[in-house]
Amino acid sequence: AEQTVFDTRATDGPDGYRVDIQYAQRLTWGGEYVHSAPWSVKDQGVRNVSHGCVNVAPDQALWLFQQTMVGDAVIVRGTERVLQSGNGWTAWDVPWANYGV
């Protein structure tokens, strides 16, 4: 969505947050997105400061939003975290050999 609100207070209670987000592109049904994160630009590519999303600078988020479509593959490097099968567009995460072709 070009503009949306992330609100985790219903699930996280007092530890939750509510924040306006620009250029959010959903990666998983579990809540991981690529989105504009102007508050973390100085940390991007240096250290992990997200709650699971891929934070990008506003200009990069706009460019990506204008260039990609739902279902385009996204490769995230530098993390040990892997997608759980069925959590979003995970067919891209299944090895070709598993298709029985």
Side-chain angles (χ1 to χ4, degrees):
E2 193 167 330
Q3 178 71 33
T4 193
V5 175
F6 287 179
D7 189 344
T8 68
R9 296 174 301 174
T11 55
D12 295 342
D15 293 330
Y17 58 90
R18 184 182 194 284
V19 64
D20 293 329
I21 300 290
Q22 289 187 304
Y23 310 117
Q25 296 178 282
R26 182 185 288 274
L27 298 176
T28 70
W29 304 126
E32 287 88 4
Y33 289 77
V34 175
H35 65 79
S36 175
W39 59 86
S40 70
V41 170
K42 69 181 181 332
D43 293 308
Q44 293 169 12
V46 178
R47 62 189 188 101
N48 183 5
V49 294
S50 113
H51 294 97
C53 291
V54 177
N55 293 350
V56 295
D59 61 325
Q60 295 168 342
L62 173 61
W63 181 89
L64 188 66
F65 192 83
Q66 293 173 335
Q67 302 300 317
T68 59
M69 297 173 47
V70 171
D72 284 351
V74 174
I75 298 171
V76 178
R77 300 184 193 278
T79 181
E80 296 80 37
R81 190 171 178 181
V82 296
L83 292 178
Q84 298 300 310
S85 183
N87 186 12
W89 303 99
T90 55
W92 293 112
D93 205 36
V94 176
W96 187 250
N98 291 9
Y99 283 99
V101 178

